[in-house]
């Protein structure tokens, strides 16, 4: 087993494409996807009560992530896909249960296997969210190998040290 270098703060993570993998396919910036949806009950928060069901931030993020993935997959060769690695979203306004929303995603930047999308969401009143989403592209078999490696059982943690005893012990 070889040691992996420890990334420096702010360093870009390396894509999960090995030297044996096919080259990262060219993907062009500027492509867009627009997706309409209705805010149904499954997309809303419930903790404010039935009268205040609004589009949940976690559901909005999921919907935007799927839109970005769907746009990207349409430009990748067979056997390739992507995984989300970062989300930066400003959820600016609440959209009530039943609202019609339009998601808009644009492929803004490509750096090797890393792709960044500009994302927005609007309802009938106006802008409800904007931000960015980052994904990494790789062959699906590469993702599978990495996941299998992480799923192997790890060695048990070392035993905890015994607590201090005596008059000076702090609890």
């Amino acid at each position: 087993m070889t040691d992996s270098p420890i990334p420096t703060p702010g360093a870009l993570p390396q894509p999960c494409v090995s030297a044996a993998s096919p080259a990262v396919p060219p993907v062009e910036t500027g492509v867009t996807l627009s997706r309409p949806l209705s805010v149904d009950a499954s997309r809303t928060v419930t903790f404010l009560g039935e009268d205040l069901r609004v589009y949940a931030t976690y559901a909005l993020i999921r919907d935007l992530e799927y839109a970005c993935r769907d746009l990207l997959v349409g430009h990748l060769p067979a056997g390739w896909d992507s995984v989300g690695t970062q989300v930066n979203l400003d959820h600016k306004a609440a959209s009530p249960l039943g609202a019609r929303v339009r998601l808009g995603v644009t492929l803004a930047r490509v750096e090797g296997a890393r792709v960044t999308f500009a994302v927005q969401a609007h309802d009938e009143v106006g802008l409800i969210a904007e931000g960015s989403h980052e994904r990494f592209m790789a062959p699906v078999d590469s993702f599978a190998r990495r996941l299998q490696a992480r799923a192997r059982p790890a060695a048990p943690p070392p035993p905890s040290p015994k607590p201090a005893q005596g008059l000076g012990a702090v609890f």
Side-chain angles (χ1 to χ4, degrees), residues 10 12 16-17 23 33 35 43 89 91 99 101 106 131-132 134 139 146 163:
L12 300 177
C16 50
V17 179
L33 180 131
R35 174 168 290 162
R43 288 183 163 95
L89 190 71
H91 194 166
V101 171
T106 301
S132 63
E134 182 178 282
R146 285 181 169 256

Side-chain angles (χ1 to χ4, degrees), residues 29-101:
T29 60
V31 293
T32 64
L33 180 131
S34 179
R35 174 168 290 162
L37 61 86
S38 292
V39 178
D40 60 21
S42 71
R43 288 183 163 95
T44 63
V45 298
T46 58
F47 56 81
L48 296 172
E50 286 302 311
D51 293 339
L52 295 174
R53 290 184 78 133
V54 295
Y55 199 2
T57 303
Y58 61 84
L60 175 58
I61 290 170
R62 179 200 59 217
D63 292 338
L64 286 164
E65 183 170 7
Y66 270 104
C68 292
R69 184 224 170 236
D70 292 347
L71 172 61
L72 186 57
V73 167
H75 296 275
L76 294 177
W80 280 70
D81 210 314
S82 64
V83 292
T85 57
Q86 187 177 50
V87 176
N88 179 9
L89 190 71
D90 185 2
H91 194 166
K92 297 173 174 286
S95 295
L97 178 64
R100 292 186 310 225
V101 171

